[in-house]
Short mmCIF file of all heavy atoms in Angstrom, two decimals:
data_model
loop_
_atom_site.label_atom_id
_atom_site.label_comp_id
_atom_site.label_asym_id
_atom_site.label_seq_id
_atom_site.Cartn_x
_atom_site.Cartn_y
_atom_site.Cartn_z
N PHE L 472 6.40 3.34 8.57
CA PHE L 472 5.00 3.35 8.17
C PHE L 472 4.16 3.87 9.33
O PHE L 472 4.17 3.31 10.41
CB PHE L 472 4.54 1.95 7.77
CG PHE L 472 5.25 1.41 6.56
CD1 PHE L 472 6.07 0.32 6.65
CD2 PHE L 472 5.09 2.03 5.32
CE1 PHE L 472 6.73 -0.18 5.53
CE2 PHE L 472 5.75 1.55 4.20
CZ PHE L 472 6.57 0.44 4.30
N GLN L 473 3.43 4.96 9.09
CA GLN L 473 2.65 5.60 10.15
C GLN L 473 1.20 5.15 10.17
O GLN L 473 0.50 5.39 11.13
CB GLN L 473 2.71 7.12 10.00
CG GLN L 473 4.11 7.66 10.15
CD GLN L 473 4.68 7.41 11.54
OE1 GLN L 473 4.03 7.68 12.54
NE2 GLN L 473 5.87 6.85 11.60
N GLY L 474 0.74 4.53 9.11
CA GLY L 474 -0.66 4.11 9.06
C GLY L 474 -0.91 3.17 7.91
O GLY L 474 -0.02 2.87 7.11
N SER L 475 -2.15 2.72 7.83
CA SER L 475 -2.50 1.74 6.80
C SER L 475 -2.34 2.32 5.40
O SER L 475 -1.97 1.59 4.47
CB SER L 475 -3.93 1.26 7.02
OG SER L 475 -4.86 2.32 6.91
N SER L 476 -2.59 3.61 5.24
CA SER L 476 -2.44 4.20 3.90
C SER L 476 -0.96 4.20 3.48
O SER L 476 -0.66 4.00 2.30
CB SER L 476 -3.04 5.60 3.83
OG SER L 476 -2.38 6.46 4.72
N ASP L 477 -0.04 4.43 4.43
CA ASP L 477 1.39 4.34 4.10
C ASP L 477 1.74 2.92 3.65
O ASP L 477 2.47 2.73 2.69
CB ASP L 477 2.26 4.67 5.33
CG ASP L 477 2.50 6.14 5.52
OD1 ASP L 477 2.13 6.93 4.64
OD2 ASP L 477 3.06 6.49 6.57
N LEU L 478 1.23 1.95 4.36
CA LEU L 478 1.51 0.55 4.02
C LEU L 478 0.99 0.23 2.63
O LEU L 478 1.68 -0.36 1.81
CB LEU L 478 0.89 -0.38 5.07
CG LEU L 478 1.17 -1.87 4.92
CD1 LEU L 478 2.68 -2.14 5.02
CD2 LEU L 478 0.43 -2.65 6.00
N ARG L 479 -0.24 0.65 2.34
CA ARG L 479 -0.84 0.39 1.03
C ARG L 479 -0.13 1.17 -0.06
O ARG L 479 0.25 0.63 -1.09
CB ARG L 479 -2.33 0.73 1.06
CG ARG L 479 -3.05 0.42 -0.25
CD ARG L 479 -4.46 0.97 -0.29
NE ARG L 479 -4.42 2.43 -0.39
CZ ARG L 479 -4.90 3.27 0.52
NH1 ARG L 479 -5.48 2.83 1.60
NH2 ARG L 479 -4.82 4.57 0.33
N ASP L 480 0.04 2.49 0.16
CA ASP L 480 0.56 3.35 -0.89
C ASP L 480 2.05 3.17 -1.13
O ASP L 480 2.52 3.35 -2.25
CB ASP L 480 0.27 4.82 -0.58
CG ASP L 480 -1.21 5.14 -0.55
OD1 ASP L 480 -2.01 4.33 -1.06
OD2 ASP L 480 -1.58 6.20 0.00
N ARG L 481 2.80 2.86 -0.09
CA ARG L 481 4.25 2.72 -0.26
C ARG L 481 4.65 1.27 -0.49
O ARG L 481 5.26 0.95 -1.51
CB ARG L 481 4.97 3.32 0.93
CG ARG L 481 4.86 4.84 0.97
CD ARG L 481 5.37 5.47 2.24
NE ARG L 481 6.69 5.04 2.63
CZ ARG L 481 7.11 5.03 3.90
NH1 ARG L 481 6.32 5.44 4.86
NH2 ARG L 481 8.33 4.64 4.18
N ALA L 482 4.32 0.39 0.42
CA ALA L 482 4.75 -1.01 0.28
C ALA L 482 3.94 -1.72 -0.80
O ALA L 482 4.49 -2.31 -1.71
CB ALA L 482 4.63 -1.75 1.61
N GLY L 483 2.61 -1.64 -0.68
CA GLY L 483 1.76 -2.33 -1.66
C GLY L 483 2.01 -1.86 -3.08
O GLY L 483 2.18 -2.66 -3.99
N ALA L 484 2.04 -0.56 -3.27
CA ALA L 484 2.25 -0.02 -4.61
C ALA L 484 3.64 -0.36 -5.15
O ALA L 484 3.79 -0.69 -6.32
CB ALA L 484 2.04 1.50 -4.60
N SER L 485 4.65 -0.32 -4.29
CA SER L 485 6.01 -0.66 -4.73
C SER L 485 6.13 -2.12 -5.13
O SER L 485 6.96 -2.48 -5.96
CB SER L 485 7.02 -0.35 -3.62
OG SER L 485 7.08 1.04 -3.40
N LEU L 486 5.29 -2.96 -4.55
CA LEU L 486 5.28 -4.38 -4.90
C LEU L 486 4.33 -4.69 -6.04
O LEU L 486 4.20 -5.83 -6.46
CB LEU L 486 4.90 -5.22 -3.67
CG LEU L 486 5.89 -5.18 -2.51
CD1 LEU L 486 5.28 -5.82 -1.27
CD2 LEU L 486 7.20 -5.85 -2.89
N GLY L 487 3.66 -3.65 -6.55
CA GLY L 487 2.73 -3.83 -7.66
C GLY L 487 1.41 -4.46 -7.26
O GLY L 487 0.69 -5.00 -8.10
N ILE L 488 1.07 -4.39 -5.97
CA ILE L 488 -0.17 -4.99 -5.47
C ILE L 488 -1.35 -4.12 -5.87
O ILE L 488 -1.39 -2.93 -5.58
CB ILE L 488 -0.13 -5.14 -3.93
CG1 ILE L 488 1.11 -5.91 -3.47
CG2 ILE L 488 -1.42 -5.78 -3.42
CD1 ILE L 488 1.23 -7.31 -3.97
N THR L 489 -2.32 -4.73 -6.55
CA THR L 489 -3.51 -4.01 -6.98
C THR L 489 -4.63 -4.18 -5.95
O THR L 489 -4.58 -5.07 -5.09
CB THR L 489 -4.01 -4.53 -8.34
OG1 THR L 489 -4.45 -5.89 -8.16
CG2 THR L 489 -2.92 -4.46 -9.40
N ASN L 490 -5.65 -3.34 -6.08
CA ASN L 490 -6.82 -3.43 -5.21
C ASN L 490 -7.54 -4.77 -5.40
O ASN L 490 -8.15 -5.28 -4.47
CB ASN L 490 -7.77 -2.26 -5.48
CG ASN L 490 -8.77 -2.06 -4.38
OD1 ASN L 490 -8.43 -2.06 -3.20
ND2 ASN L 490 -10.03 -1.89 -4.76
N GLN L 491 -7.44 -5.34 -6.60
CA GLN L 491 -8.07 -6.63 -6.85
C GLN L 491 -7.32 -7.75 -6.12
O GLN L 491 -7.92 -8.74 -5.73
CB GLN L 491 -8.11 -6.94 -8.36
CG GLN L 491 -9.11 -6.08 -9.14
CD GLN L 491 -8.62 -4.64 -9.32
OE1 GLN L 491 -7.42 -4.38 -9.40
NE2 GLN L 491 -9.55 -3.71 -9.36
N GLN L 492 -6.01 -7.60 -5.96
CA GLN L 492 -5.23 -8.62 -5.26
C GLN L 492 -5.48 -8.57 -3.76
O GLN L 492 -5.71 -9.59 -3.13
CB GLN L 492 -3.74 -8.46 -5.56
CG GLN L 492 -3.37 -8.85 -6.98
CD GLN L 492 -1.91 -8.57 -7.25
OE1 GLN L 492 -1.51 -7.41 -7.28
NE2 GLN L 492 -1.13 -9.61 -7.45
N ILE L 493 -5.35 -7.39 -3.19
CA ILE L 493 -5.62 -7.19 -1.76
C ILE L 493 -6.43 -5.90 -1.66
O ILE L 493 -5.93 -4.82 -1.94
CB ILE L 493 -4.33 -7.07 -0.93
CG1 ILE L 493 -3.47 -8.33 -1.07
CG2 ILE L 493 -4.68 -6.83 0.55
CD1 ILE L 493 -2.14 -8.26 -0.33
N HIS L 494 -7.68 -6.06 -1.27
CA HIS L 494 -8.60 -4.92 -1.24
C HIS L 494 -8.15 -3.89 -0.20
O HIS L 494 -7.61 -4.23 0.85
CB HIS L 494 -10.03 -5.38 -0.93
CG HIS L 494 -11.04 -4.34 -1.23
ND1 HIS L 494 -11.43 -3.40 -0.30
CD2 HIS L 494 -11.71 -4.06 -2.37
CE1 HIS L 494 -12.32 -2.60 -0.84
NE2 HIS L 494 -12.51 -2.97 -2.10
N ARG L 495 -8.38 -2.64 -0.52
CA ARG L 495 -8.03 -1.50 0.34
C ARG L 495 -8.55 -1.69 1.77
O ARG L 495 -7.90 -1.30 2.73
CB ARG L 495 -8.62 -0.24 -0.28
CG ARG L 495 -8.43 1.01 0.50
CD ARG L 495 -9.06 2.19 -0.24
NE ARG L 495 -8.60 2.23 -1.60
CZ ARG L 495 -7.83 3.19 -2.12
NH1 ARG L 495 -7.49 4.21 -1.38
NH2 ARG L 495 -7.44 3.14 -3.36
N SER L 496 -9.70 -2.30 1.93
CA SER L 496 -10.29 -2.49 3.26
C SER L 496 -9.42 -3.38 4.15
O SER L 496 -9.45 -3.24 5.37
CB SER L 496 -11.70 -3.06 3.16
OG SER L 496 -11.68 -4.35 2.58
N ARG L 497 -8.65 -4.28 3.54
CA ARG L 497 -7.72 -5.11 4.34
C ARG L 497 -6.66 -4.23 4.99
O ARG L 497 -6.23 -4.48 6.11
CB ARG L 497 -7.02 -6.15 3.46
CG ARG L 497 -7.89 -7.26 2.92
CD ARG L 497 -8.10 -8.40 3.88
NE ARG L 497 -6.93 -8.97 4.50
CZ ARG L 497 -6.10 -9.84 3.93
NH1 ARG L 497 -6.30 -10.26 2.70
NH2 ARG L 497 -5.06 -10.30 4.61
N PHE L 498 -6.22 -3.21 4.29
CA PHE L 498 -5.23 -2.29 4.84
C PHE L 498 -5.86 -1.40 5.91
O PHE L 498 -5.29 -1.24 6.99
CB PHE L 498 -4.61 -1.43 3.74
CG PHE L 498 -3.72 -2.19 2.80
CD1 PHE L 498 -4.21 -2.67 1.59
CD2 PHE L 498 -2.40 -2.44 3.11
CE1 PHE L 498 -3.39 -3.36 0.71
CE2 PHE L 498 -1.57 -3.14 2.24
CZ PHE L 498 -2.07 -3.60 1.05
N THR L 499 -7.02 -0.84 5.61
CA THR L 499 -7.65 0.07 6.58
C THR L 499 -8.06 -0.65 7.85
O THR L 499 -8.20 -0.02 8.89
CB THR L 499 -8.85 0.82 5.97
OG1 THR L 499 -9.81 -0.13 5.51
CG2 THR L 499 -8.41 1.73 4.84
N SER L 500 -8.23 -1.97 7.79
CA SER L 500 -8.56 -2.72 9.01
C SER L 500 -7.40 -2.68 10.01
O SER L 500 -7.58 -3.00 11.18
CB SER L 500 -8.92 -4.17 8.68
OG SER L 500 -7.78 -4.90 8.27
N LEU L 501 -6.22 -2.24 9.57
CA LEU L 501 -5.05 -2.15 10.45
C LEU L 501 -4.93 -0.79 11.13
O LEU L 501 -3.96 -0.55 11.85
CB LEU L 501 -3.76 -2.44 9.68
CG LEU L 501 -3.60 -3.85 9.12
CD1 LEU L 501 -2.26 -3.97 8.42
CD2 LEU L 501 -3.73 -4.88 10.22
N ASP L 502 -5.90 0.08 10.96
CA ASP L 502 -5.82 1.41 11.57
C ASP L 502 -5.65 1.33 13.09
O ASP L 502 -4.87 2.08 13.68
CB ASP L 502 -7.02 2.26 11.20
CG ASP L 502 -6.96 2.77 9.77
OD1 ASP L 502 -5.86 2.75 9.16
OD2 ASP L 502 -8.00 3.19 9.24
N THR L 503 -6.37 0.43 13.75
CA THR L 503 -6.24 0.27 15.20
C THR L 503 -4.83 -0.18 15.57
O THR L 503 -4.24 0.32 16.54
CB THR L 503 -7.27 -0.75 15.72
OG1 THR L 503 -8.57 -0.32 15.34
CG2 THR L 503 -7.21 -0.89 17.22
N PHE L 504 -4.28 -1.09 14.79
CA PHE L 504 -2.91 -1.56 14.99
C PHE L 504 -1.92 -0.40 14.92
O PHE L 504 -1.06 -0.23 15.78
CB PHE L 504 -2.59 -2.63 13.94
CG PHE L 504 -1.15 -3.05 13.89
CD1 PHE L 504 -0.66 -4.01 14.74
CD2 PHE L 504 -0.29 -2.48 12.96
CE1 PHE L 504 0.67 -4.41 14.69
CE2 PHE L 504 1.04 -2.86 12.90
CZ PHE L 504 1.52 -3.83 13.77
N PHE L 505 -2.06 0.43 13.88
CA PHE L 505 -1.14 1.55 13.71
C PHE L 505 -1.34 2.62 14.79
O PHE L 505 -0.38 3.25 15.22
CB PHE L 505 -1.24 2.15 12.31
CG PHE L 505 -0.44 1.40 11.30
CD1 PHE L 505 -1.05 0.55 10.40
CD2 PHE L 505 0.94 1.52 11.26
CE1 PHE L 505 -0.31 -0.16 9.47
CE2 PHE L 505 1.70 0.81 10.33
CZ PHE L 505 1.07 -0.03 9.43
N THR L 506 -2.57 2.82 15.22
CA THR L 506 -2.82 3.77 16.31
C THR L 506 -2.08 3.32 17.57
O THR L 506 -1.42 4.12 18.24
CB THR L 506 -4.33 3.90 16.59
OG1 THR L 506 -4.96 4.41 15.41
CG2 THR L 506 -4.61 4.82 17.76
N ALA L 507 -2.15 2.03 17.87
CA ALA L 507 -1.45 1.50 19.04
C ALA L 507 0.06 1.60 18.86
O ALA L 507 0.78 2.01 19.77
CB ALA L 507 -1.86 0.04 19.27
N ARG L 508 0.55 1.28 17.68
CA ARG L 508 1.99 1.35 17.41
C ARG L 508 2.50 2.78 17.55
O ARG L 508 3.52 3.04 18.16
CB ARG L 508 2.27 0.83 16.00
CG ARG L 508 3.73 0.96 15.55
CD ARG L 508 3.81 2.04 14.49
NE ARG L 508 5.17 2.23 14.07
CZ ARG L 508 5.79 3.40 14.09
NH1 ARG L 508 5.18 4.48 14.51
NH2 ARG L 508 7.01 3.53 13.68
N ASN L 509 1.75 3.72 16.98
CA ASN L 509 2.16 5.12 17.05
C ASN L 509 2.10 5.66 18.47
O ASN L 509 2.94 6.47 18.87
CB ASN L 509 1.31 5.97 16.11
CG ASN L 509 1.55 5.61 14.64
OD1 ASN L 509 2.55 5.00 14.30
ND2 ASN L 509 0.61 5.97 13.79
N ASP L 510 1.14 5.18 19.26
CA ASP L 510 1.04 5.58 20.66
C ASP L 510 2.27 5.11 21.43
O ASP L 510 2.86 5.87 22.20
CB ASP L 510 -0.24 5.01 21.28
CG ASP L 510 -0.39 5.39 22.74
OD1 ASP L 510 -0.36 6.60 23.05
OD2 ASP L 510 -0.51 4.47 23.57
N VAL L 511 2.67 3.87 21.21
CA VAL L 511 3.86 3.33 21.88
C VAL L 511 5.10 4.14 21.48
O VAL L 511 5.88 4.56 22.34
CB VAL L 511 4.06 1.83 21.56
CG1 VAL L 511 5.42 1.34 22.01
CG2 VAL L 511 2.94 1.00 22.18
N ALA L 512 5.27 4.38 20.19
CA ALA L 512 6.43 5.13 19.73
C ALA L 512 6.44 6.55 20.30
O ALA L 512 7.49 7.05 20.72
CB ALA L 512 6.45 5.17 18.20
N HIS L 513 5.27 7.19 20.34
CA HIS L 513 5.18 8.55 20.88
C HIS L 513 5.54 8.57 22.36
O HIS L 513 6.29 9.42 22.82
CB HIS L 513 3.77 9.11 20.67
CG HIS L 513 3.57 10.45 21.28
ND1 HIS L 513 4.14 11.60 20.77
CD2 HIS L 513 2.89 10.84 22.39
CE1 HIS L 513 3.80 12.63 21.52
NE2 HIS L 513 3.05 12.20 22.52
N ARG L 514 5.03 7.61 23.11
CA ARG L 514 5.33 7.55 24.54
C ARG L 514 6.83 7.35 24.78
O ARG L 514 7.40 7.94 25.68
CB ARG L 514 4.54 6.44 25.22
CG ARG L 514 3.06 6.75 25.35
CD ARG L 514 2.30 5.51 25.80
NE ARG L 514 0.89 5.74 25.80
CZ ARG L 514 0.19 6.11 26.87
NH1 ARG L 514 0.81 6.29 28.01
NH2 ARG L 514 -1.10 6.30 26.79
N LEU L 515 7.45 6.52 23.96
CA LEU L 515 8.90 6.31 24.11
C LEU L 515 9.68 7.56 23.74
O LEU L 515 10.69 7.88 24.37
CB LEU L 515 9.35 5.11 23.26
CG LEU L 515 8.85 3.76 23.74
CD1 LEU L 515 9.23 2.67 22.73
CD2 LEU L 515 9.38 3.41 25.12
N ASP L 516 9.22 8.27 22.72
CA ASP L 516 9.88 9.52 22.33
C ASP L 516 9.78 10.57 23.42
O ASP L 516 10.68 11.39 23.59
CB ASP L 516 9.25 10.09 21.05
CG ASP L 516 9.64 9.32 19.81
OD1 ASP L 516 10.60 8.52 19.88
OD2 ASP L 516 8.98 9.49 18.79
N MET L 517 8.69 10.57 24.16
CA MET L 517 8.47 11.58 25.19
C MET L 517 9.16 11.23 26.51
O MET L 517 9.25 12.05 27.40
CB MET L 517 6.97 11.75 25.45
CG MET L 517 6.20 12.23 24.23
SD MET L 517 6.82 13.78 23.56
CE MET L 517 6.34 14.90 24.84
N ASP L 518 9.66 10.02 26.63
CA ASP L 518 10.30 9.58 27.87
C ASP L 518 11.59 10.35 28.09
O ASP L 518 12.39 10.55 27.19
CB ASP L 518 10.60 8.08 27.77
CG ASP L 518 11.02 7.48 29.10
OD1 ASP L 518 10.77 8.10 30.14
OD2 ASP L 518 11.60 6.39 29.08
#
């Protein structure tokens, strides 16, 4: 999962989670988390 949209569109949708159950904004609030995660992964890849 590279970002909040991947989490929502792939995991959430596969589990049948609707926007009424967990609002899209809950996923997008994780953008900072994914930015940090991707930064760590990129730095390790470049090592």
